[in-house]
Amino acid sequence: GIFSKGFVDSQGSLYVCQRADPPILVFDRNGRFIRSIGDGREVDSHGIWITPDDRVFIVDRDAHQLLCYSPEGKLLFTIGDPGHPRWNAPFNHPTDVAVGSDGTIFVADGYGNQRVIVFDADSGAFKRMWGAFGEAPADGAAAPGPGGGGGDPATAPAFGLVHAVKVSNDDIVYVADRGSVFRVIERGTRSYWLRIELDDGTNLPGRHDGMGAFAARGPRCKPGNYLLVRNHELNNAGPAFGDPGKAYDPMARGGTTTVEVTRFGEVVRSY
């Protein structure tokens, strides 16, 4: 099937999330197939996250669901009404999932609701959501309506199409929409966020897909920093920033943009 994302568990096994049945294929360190997970449940698996205790979380975009599996592949719980998109409620074409160190679950409910929804670590109960339709973060059950539909990602104060969410080791949440990358820090019940720009002051290329977040390692990287990697889509290519003279990738036709940031969201370099 079409490969969506991959994740490595505590034993070094690779979990491949694919848009086919079964949705998860597991391979050992030598590339040998071990098992599959979720047989018969696939609609459009779009994102995956594995916790330190090897629980497997996936979001199924077109089933409008979050699914959690045990390390052995047993379905533990689901959130969302399969096959029924929800407005201002979980979910409407979710795109990605990440889990914090305390088990808190973050879901990018991206295509329809254009926000991140946060769930309790133990019960899976709804806690809050933020950032729908380019409006200010909304903490609570009510959220802004569709006024403007997200607007211009270059000027919107919050999200457009939320396509990826990652949590760093120190529990900073990085959110990628298709117009920018945001760093989100939660303090109690409040969320503080910052749009991340390239080191020349421009925004990230405007036509891109997923995001990876990694601890920065290597001779040019400073310990404690993070690398955010965006991959660019090949279809519907156009100027990445509106000003081709300033664009990193003027036509955004493939390739990646990598940004090294400090834990405070300051850009060290981009390439």
Side-chain angles (χ1 to χ4, degrees):
I2 299 175
F3 171 79
S4 290
K5 293 181 180 177
F7 215 101
V8 177
D9 70 7
S10 64
Q11 305 302 311
S13 297
L14 173 65
Y15 291 63
V16 174
C17 181
Q18 64 169 355
R19 300 181 189 183
D21 187 17
I24 303 173
L25 304 175
V26 186
F27 301 87
D28 68 14
R29 292 172 178 267
N30 298 312
R32 290 190 295 264
F33 174 76
I34 303 174
R35 65 183 182 279
S36 61
I37 295 176
D39 297 57
R41 296 194 61 92
E42 189 276 337
V43 178
D44 192 346
S45 301
H46 202 277
I48 183 172
W49 187 277
I50 300 177
T51 58
D53 61 357
D54 289 334
R55 286 181 301 157
V56 181
F57 290 82
I58 65 170
V59 289
D60 194 310
R61 183 181 65 177
D62 291 348
H64 314 289
Q65 276 193 302
L66 167 72
L67 303 96
C68 177
Y69 292 93
S70 72
E72 297 75 31
K74 178 183 177 181
L75 183 63
L76 299 177
F77 65 84
T78 66
I79 301 175
D81 188 2
H84 297 89
R86 298 301 184 190
W87 182 251
N88 271 0
F91 296 104
N92 195 326
H93 295 91
T95 55
D96 203 9
V97 58
V99 182
S101 63
D102 64 350
T104 299
I105 304 164
F106 300 86
V107 177
D109 198 8
Y111 281 92
N113 284 324
Q114 300 179 343
R115 67 194 61 168
V116 172
I117 304 181
V118 186
F119 297 93
D120 181 76
D122 298 318
S123 66
F126 170 88
K127 294 180 68 175
R128 58 191 173 276
M129 53 191 174
W130 12 267
F133 307 106
E135 301 295 338
D139 294 329
D152 179 1
T155 58
F159 300 147
L161 196 165
V162 185
H163 206 262
V165 59
K166 306 296 177 188
V167 182
S168 63
N169 293 338
D170 51 0
D171 285 321
I172 295 177
V173 182
Y174 291 92
V175 180
D177 68 21
R178 282 185 165 164
S180 190
V181 172
F182 294 86
R183 172 182 61 94
V184 181
I185 300 178
E186 294 200 279
R187 294 288 184 266
T189 60
R190 298 196 60 188
S191 301
Y192 304 85
W193 46 12
L194 172 71
R195 187 189 302 274
I196 295 175
E197 300 174 334
L198 299 179
D199 51 9
D200 65 358
T202 58
N203 196 4
L204 290 175
R207 297 185 183 275
H208 43 213
D209 196 4
M211 177 181 71
F214 309 94
R217 294 188 177 93
R220 295 188 59 189
C221 296
K222 182 178 179 180
N225 287 352
Y226 297 94
L227 296 180
L228 306 179
V229 183
R230 302 302 307 274
N231 61 287
H232 308 312
E233 292 195 323
L234 299 176
N235 61 330
N236 301 321
F241 304 110
D243 180 356
K246 298 179 68 176
Y248 164 80
D249 180 3
M251 297 301 292
R253 296 187 65 87
T256 62
T257 297
T258 300
V259 184
E260 182 179 349
V261 299
T262 69
R263 65 182 303 271
F264 303 105
E266 301 166 329
V267 175
V268 176
R269 62 192 175 111
S270 57
Y271 53 93

